[in-house]
Amino acid sequence: MPYYRSVGEVPHKRHTQFRRPDGGLYAEELMGQEGFSSDSSLLYHRHAPTAIVSAEAHEPPTLGQTPNLPLKPRHLRTHKVDAGPADAVLGRRPLLVNNDVRIGYVIADRPSPLYRNAVGDECLYVEEGTAIIESTFGRMEVGSGDYVIIPTSVIHRIVPHGRPVRMLTIEATGHIGPPRRYLSVRGQFLEHAPYCERDQRGPSDPLLVDETDAEVYVKHRAGWTRHVYAHHPFDVVGWDGCLYPWAFSIHDFEPITGRLHQPPPVHQTFEGPNFVVCSFVPRLFDYHPEGIPAPYNHANVDSDEIIFYTGGDFMSRKGAGVEMGSLTMHPAGFIHGPQPGSVEASIGKKDTEEYAVMIDTFRPLELCEPVLACEDTSYAWSWSGGRRK
Ligand SMILES: [Fe+2]
């Protein structure tokens, strides 16, 4: 995330005296990736960001994971998951996991506690509703169709605004960012990128909370811990740099189309460690006179493919029971493709209104316990007209 931003007050030179109105020094903090060798920001706190007064282990969420055995394509109806109302951090219901990424779902109707994910970046996709993301970097409003990227270790909380907010949660074990092929060597979006800096939103004003003894839930490599900070961590009067939470709306993703069917990499929106995230958005179909708009059957020999259906009419899955909030998983070792009849039916169609979020993981995903409550177990046989032996 190399786009430079500056919010609030910062001193003219880094690492120089920057004083509070009472004459004391602000506490400078560098938050940086890969030690001191990658993107970073400098934050100026009213109080020491290091002062904790309590640390207690916290029971981590149970996953109840089992391998995808026997190997089958899966269809999960996320709207049937017992996913709330809860808060958007502790109330997440895990669905699919591996050692690189954890995919979950939540319906949040109350503010989350303060939270720091020290394992990796998070990508939250807001399916419905609005929320305020409050963090040490400030406040950011997000809503339906937004992807929200929260960098590793940023202390934040998620506050639903109005009606409950529904989110697909993607927790990485490393950093999530735009695909490298869309960036210049210095990190600017190139002309062929489907989105650019103008589409990115970040916190715009400092957020100052004058409280003591603030509890922060920390997800870290050894488990979960509850820290109590002597002063509320939202005490940053200014920051600048290239590392901060940001949002990008799926509605701002500009689709790349062609005369013949374009492969899924044209839809790629983010890359993470051993996974990618793609956006399917309303677009013109292929315009070759003999073209077939429906996708061809494909075997993703190196990945599990997850699609979350979030709007419009998903032509290639007609007849398979896919609905809003459906999440399908087509694993490696299985050839998947359009539903019977949809290839012929797609011919002559000019455009699509679909919205979907796709996640391809390069290592197999396991199924978590909440899957049992929301799986459409007939999906695996939907290509054979429901016949099973
Ligand atoms: Fe696919």
Side-chain angles (χ1 to χ4, degrees):
M1 184 56 243
Y3 184 41
Y4 174 82
R5 278 178 193 259
S6 180
V7 166
E9 271 189 276
V10 296
H12 181 59
K13 294 284 283 185
R14 58 188 174 185
H15 320 319
T16 58
Q17 294 176 37
F18 179 36
R19 294 193 178 276
R20 304 187 301 244
D22 67 3
L25 287 167
Y26 286 112
E28 186 182 48
E29 173 203 359
L30 175 89
M31 171 169 257
Q33 295 178 344
E34 298 173 27
F36 297 84
S37 307
S38 187
D39 300 341
S40 65
S41 284
L42 282 166
L43 301 94
Y44 295 88
H45 295 265
R46 284 176 168 169
H47 306 284
T50 46
I52 52 172
V53 295
S54 162
E56 283 179 18
H58 175 74
E59 191 65 32
T62 49
L63 302 176
Q65 66 200 82
T66 54
N68 183 13
L69 186 70
L71 184 75
K72 282 197 298 184
R74 307 279 177 166
H75 170 204
L76 315 181
R77 293 188 160 120
T78 61
H79 290 188
K80 291 199 173 5
V81 176
D82 176 21
D87 78 68
V89 171
L90 302 180
R92 289 178 193 177
R93 301 290 278 153
L95 296 174
L96 301 165
V97 297
N98 65 20
N99 288 335
D100 304 313
V101 64
R102 182 178 298 184
I103 299 163
Y105 189 77
V106 69
I107 305 169
D109 71 341
R110 64 202 69 177
S112 76
L114 292 170
Y115 169 55
R116 159 178 265 172
N117 182 340
V119 176
D121 294 358
E122 296 197 350
C123 173
L124 311 173
Y125 179 76
V126 183
E127 181 193 12
E128 198 179 285
T130 57
I132 310 293
I133 309 293
E134 297 180 347
S135 75
T136 44
F137 291 82
R139 200 188 298 261
M140 191 167 60
E141 187 171 325
V142 299
S144 176
D146 276 341
Y147 292 103
V148 188
I149 305 292
I150 313 276
T152 310
S153 271
V154 169
I155 298 179
H156 65 284
R157 67 178 195 145
I158 301 164
V159 183
H161 187 60
R163 65 202 164 111
V165 60
R166 292 173 170 273
M167 296 196 306
L168 184 73
T169 60
I170 304 166
E171 301 169 27
T173 49
H175 301 307
I176 301 172
R180 250 162 282 181
R181 68 179 184 279
Y182 289 140
L183 301 175
S184 74
V185 288
R186 292 178 185 80
Q188 184 180 7
F189 280 96
L190 296 168
E191 278 294 313
H192 67 290
Y195 63 105
C196 73
E197 288 83 355
R198 293 185 194 182
D199 301 313
Q200 295 176 298
R201 288 143 38 216
S204 53
D205 295 295
L207 172 59
L208 297 164
V209 177
D210 194 14
E211 284 175 16
T212 54
D213 292 351
E215 192 173 58
V216 179
Y217 285 73
V218 184
K219 177 187 169 189
H220 53 101
R221 292 176 200 190
W224 282 63
T225 295
R226 267 195 324 269
H227 283 152
V228 176
Y229 278 81
H231 294 277
H232 199 290
F234 297 170
D235 69 342
V236 172
V237 296
W239 61 269
D240 77 333
C242 298
L243 182 67
Y244 48 84
W246 57 283
F248 163 68
S249 173
I250 197 168
H251 302 290
D252 286 327
F253 186 90
E254 295 302 328
I256 297 168
T257 59
R259 220 163 91 93
L260 292 174
H261 196 84
Q262 295 294 296
V266 301
H267 306 287
Q268 193 185 345
T269 313
F270 303 109
E271 64 184 21
N274 285 325
F275 72 90
V276 297
V277 178
C278 301
S279 303
F280 289 87
V281 300
R283 62 193 183 279
L284 294 179
F285 276 139
D286 327 324
Y287 48 88
H288 186 288
E290 301 291 318
I292 298 177
Y296 35 82
N297 300 301
H298 48 287
N300 301 353
V301 297
D302 293 318
S303 59
D304 282 6
E305 179 187 299
I306 313 307
I307 296 187
F308 179 66
Y309 299 85
T310 180
D313 174 19
F314 220 81
M315 166 270 290
S316 64
R317 288 289 172 280
K318 238 179 205 144
V322 165
E323 58 194 22
M324 283 309 112
S326 284
L327 189 148
T328 56
M329 175 169 74
H330 300 137
F334 168 76
I335 303 164
H336 67 277
Q339 293 308 128
S342 62
V343 173
E344 193 71 56
S346 75
I347 294 170
K349 293 263 168 56
K350 298 292 180 215
D351 55 19
T352 172
E353 290 301 312
E354 71 197 17
Y355 284 96
V357 173
M358 184 171 86
I359 307 163
D360 272 17
T361 68
F362 305 146
R363 289 194 270 199
L365 288 159
E366 298 204 329
L367 313 168
C368 298
E369 180 265 330
V371 164
L372 297 175
C374 70
E375 184 177 5
D376 164 15
T377 52
S378 64
Y379 182 66
W381 331 113
S382 61
W383 288 269
S384 52
R387 190 175 82 83
R388 64 177 296 196
K389 202 169 167 226

